[in-house]
Amino acid sequence: MSGLELVTALRPPTKAVRTEAGWTSGAVEGSRPKAAFDPAPPEVPDVHPLAQDRDAFGELVTEAWDWHRDLTDTEQAAPFAVGLDVNMAFLAAAGRLTLPLSGPVHELNPDFDPKIPGSWLVDLSGLDTNPLLPSPFTPDGSRPAGPAWYSTVKVAYAVELGARVQPTEGWLRHESGPYLDPWHKHLRQAYLDTMAALGVPLNLADTDPVAFLDAMANLKTGDPAEIAVLTAIKQTAKGTIGKMRERPRCHGYKPGERWAALERPTWDPLMRALVIDTATVNLHRKLRKMAGHTGLHAIAVLSDCAVFAAPGPGALDILTTPDGTLTTSLRLGVSPGMVKFEGSRPMAEIAELLADDANPARHIKTGGAVSADE
């Protein structure tokens, strides 16, 4: 069963309803309609029919981070760089997330409401964020240059950071709910059960962080059948989110034509944007807390992998606070949303990558390169 089939199996659009006249089909509360509806023009990819006459402010651009920066003198003097990866970041973001259940309504100068999923035209260029961390509002981590389209999640986070926002335009959904919550719970439990079968039980990191790190390092030596199941769970989670904005795949397609995926009720780029933006905001919030707890700032981020200058080559070298306890900002553990050790490299190698304008987070993984899709 594909990820999208799992979504609709757990949240079917209709159910059998008994009436005085007999059985009939009725809507399921919290589900999307059986018939697909078009998203808003700013949300669609450039080949979509609605994108052909898009205005100057263009597209709601939502992609996972690909960011790095120059080292400070202190960071350059560190012997190592260590990468941490967020477990199943997109799956973790989907739990209880408010998602659209109806089509977009276009509004001018709307008052921002964090409870309404939608796309908002807002100028966030005046909001100051820590220059040692990526901006949470752009995929490359640069500061916004002017008005742009953002999802509700990003605008709400800007307000949390102190921005006073006044959208000039919005495409809003007035019917919403935690549509992906059953899907999230189903895959999360499958992931945890499989990790436990591979020797990484839920609370191991809390009771013995070193044992957890050892168990994760030996994961690939486990039962091949369980490893195959784990891979399938990860691919299902990521594939589901990706297919919400699936582009045309047919040979001979011409921009402006419709394609088959648009007729699925689950084809909705805003849903994808809200999930990815939630994962980005969650990580940015944790990186801010990490800097406060440990004094360490990420030097590079690729999707859900963050790299830090470190005094040693292990995860505990950056997760240990000055008082000797483990930070809870980036919490070591197996649950989706917690972090694991991704790899380490000598700082001299990291400096060479940066000199070539390469993202160190892509190359931090021990034994190979990290993919933004991992």
Side-chain angles (χ1 to χ4, degrees), residues 35-66:
F37 47 78
D38 277 334
E43 298 159 2
V44 298
D46 55 5
V47 294
H48 193 282
L50 291 175
Q52 303 313 300
D53 297 315
R54 195 149 48 190
D55 64 27
F57 292 111
E59 186 178 353
L60 170 71
V61 180
T62 294
E63 299 297 340
W65 268 326
D66 186 350

Side-chain angles (χ1 to χ4, degrees), residues 27-347:
V28 175
E29 184 179 358
S31 288
R32 292 168 68 89
K34 189 173 183 179
F37 47 78
D38 277 334
E43 298 159 2
V44 298
D46 55 5
V47 294
H48 193 282
L50 291 175
Q52 303 313 300
D53 297 315
R54 195 149 48 190
D55 64 27
F57 292 111
E59 186 178 353
L60 170 71
V61 180
T62 294
E63 299 297 340
W65 268 326
D66 186 350
W67 168 87
H68 58 278
R69 62 168 172 83
D70 294 335
L71 299 171
T72 66
D73 291 342
T74 300
E75 291 165 345
Q76 196 159 7
F80 294 98
V82 171
L84 300 175
D85 180 73
V86 181
N87 298 317
M88 305 287 282
F90 294 162
L91 179 66
R96 301 303 300 170
L97 179 62
T98 301
L99 295 168
L101 302 179
S102 62
V105 176
H106 187 222
E107 300 183 21
L108 296 177
N109 301 310
D111 291 330
F112 177 67
D113 187 339
K115 297 179 181 179
I116 298 178
S119 300
W120 310 78
L121 185 58
V122 185
D123 188 350
L124 300 180
S125 60
L127 178 61
D128 288 327
T129 55
N130 190 333
L132 292 179
L133 294 176
S135 167
F137 304 113
T138 59
D140 64 0
S142 61
R143 184 169 177 165
W149 289 99
Y150 300 97
S151 76
T152 298
V153 170
K154 289 285 185 76
V155 182
Y157 190 50
V159 173
E160 180 182 324
L161 294 177
R164 299 182 65 180
V165 301
Q166 180 51 63
T168 56
E169 197 173 343
W171 289 90
L172 313 180
R173 277 64 165 188
H174 294 287
E175 295 180 35
S176 60
Y179 177 63
L180 289 178
D181 197 47
W183 173 86
H184 160 263
K185 289 178 179 177
H186 188 90
L187 286 181
R188 181 182 186 276
Q189 192 58 55
Y191 173 77
L192 292 177
D193 289 346
T194 305
M195 291 297 287
L198 286 166
V200 192
L202 179 60
N203 297 320
L204 181 59
D206 293 332
T207 57
D208 192 338
V210 174
F212 168 76
L213 292 168
D214 289 342
M216 292 296 292
N218 294 322
L219 197 65
K220 292 185 177 179
T221 64
D223 182 349
E226 295 291 352
I227 292 175
V229 171
L230 182 65
T231 300
I233 293 169
K234 291 181 177 181
Q235 290 177 342
T236 298
K238 292 172 183 175
T240 301
I241 304 305
K243 283 187 174 295
M244 291 174 179
R245 194 179 182 268
E246 183 178 358
R247 296 172 69 91
R249 297 175 179 271
C250 53
H251 178 70
Y253 173 82
K254 296 180 181 178
E257 297 177 344
R258 295 186 69 84
W259 61 97
L262 303 186
E263 309 312 318
R264 293 195 304 248
T266 50
W267 194 92
D268 188 343
L270 181 63
M271 284 207 297
R272 174 184 179 272
L274 289 165
V275 172
I276 293 175
D277 286 350
T278 298
T280 298
V281 164
N282 286 347
L283 182 53
H284 190 268
R285 192 180 286 116
K286 290 173 182 178
L287 293 177
R288 289 169 54 219
K289 291 181 179 179
M290 178 79 167
H293 290 174
T294 67
L296 299 176
H297 294 79
I299 61 176
V301 181
L302 181 70
S303 187
D304 45 18
C305 175
V307 177
F308 302 83
L316 299 183
D317 291 307
I318 56 176
L319 292 173
T320 304
T321 63
D323 64 6
T325 60
L326 289 183
T327 179
T328 57
S329 51
L330 288 171
R331 185 179 172 189
L332 201 64
V334 71
S335 290
M338 294 185 182
V339 301
K340 64 181 184 294
F341 175 68
E342 186 69 6
S344 65
R345 287 283 187 269
M347 185 57 79

